[in-house]
Amino acid sequence: MKKTIIILSLLILVGCKSKKAQVILPEEPTIEKFALSEVDSNLKNKAYELGKRMLMTCNTSKFKPYDESEATASVINNITEERLSKTCAKYRQRYGTFKDLQLVEIFKNNIERTTIFRYKALYTKKIANKELRVFMNEENKLSSLKTLDWIDLYDNLIIEN
């Protein structure tokens, strides 16, 4: 009886062997890089102004909140003057006064349907080496802002909001 149960258990295990999942690759690339001249200048200007407005808060201590025509509800709710003032205090101490943004690269995330503008943030202190990513959705609204340490080679294809 025990042998029969063991044999049946083995047969069930062998019969339940899972099939390998078939991976279907998307037809279009997940992340596309655009030449700076390929993207509409109005969209580039809008992304620049929205990103610069946030970083200029560190210099002026006055933040004009984003409205519904410029940004998504999550951005409007998450970027508050209190949060910005905490971040700005750290940034001013480490990097000095914010000067400007320099557009370096533009990417399109085809899965999330966002356009990512990658800016080098320029500060008065020479050690400042920061990046600002401005994410614009299909409606050309600001969907996310992200600051990171600058890296020259952009090989991180996983772009998180």
Side-chain angles (χ1 to χ4, degrees):
M1 182 72 175
K2 288 182 182 180
K3 287 183 180 181
T4 308
I5 293 174
I6 293 174
I7 291 173
L8 286 175
S9 298
L10 287 174
L11 287 174
I12 290 173
L13 284 174
V14 171
C16 293
K17 186 177 177 182
S18 65
K19 296 179 182 178
K20 289 185 178 179
Q22 186 178 12
V23 177
I24 299 172
L25 298 174
E27 290 180 20
E28 60 184 24
T30 304
I31 305 291
E32 288 180 80
K33 182 177 178 179
F34 291 113
L36 298 181
S37 60
E38 290 182 54
V39 177
D40 179 46
S41 62
N42 290 330
L43 184 58
K44 287 191 287 190
N45 290 338
K46 184 175 183 179
Y48 171 81
E49 291 300 326
L50 293 173
K52 187 174 178 180
R53 184 194 309 177
M54 184 190 71
L55 293 178
M56 282 302 289
T57 301
C58 295
N59 295 349
T60 63
S61 298
K62 294 179 183 175
F63 176 64
K64 179 185 172 203
Y66 299 116
D67 61 40
E68 291 180 8
S69 67
E70 298 172 317
T72 61
S74 64
V75 171
I76 293 169
N77 294 333
N78 287 325
I79 298 180
T80 63
E81 198 164 340
E82 296 81 33
R83 283 185 175 179
L84 279 175
S85 64
K86 289 178 185 177
T87 304
C88 285
K90 287 189 267 182
Y91 276 38
R92 281 191 64 108
Q93 185 177 14
R94 289 184 192 156
Y95 310 118
T97 304
F98 169 73
K99 294 193 301 188
D100 203 2
L101 292 173
Q102 176 185 356
L103 181 60
V104 178
E105 296 174 308
I106 302 173
F107 295 93
K108 173 81 174 181
N109 183 331
N110 292 315
I111 293 175
E112 295 178 5
R113 304 277 187 235
T114 57
T115 305
I116 301 109
F117 295 85
R118 186 172 181 238
Y119 292 96
K120 188 166 189 176
L122 306 172
Y123 288 88
T124 53
K125 290 185 180 179
K126 297 291 182 195
I127 62 161
N129 211 10
K130 295 301 285 180
E131 163 182 350
L132 177 69
R133 290 186 194 167
V134 177
F135 295 77
M136 303 291 282
N137 66 12
E138 289 179 308
E139 300 170 351
N140 294 335
K141 289 184 178 183
L142 180 65
S143 60
S144 181
L145 287 165
K146 186 174 186 178
T147 58
L148 303 153
D149 289 333
W150 179 261
I151 53 172
D152 287 327
L153 295 176
Y154 186 77
D155 57 358
N156 177 10
L157 295 181
I158 300 172
I159 302 175
E160 300 172 0
N161 283 3

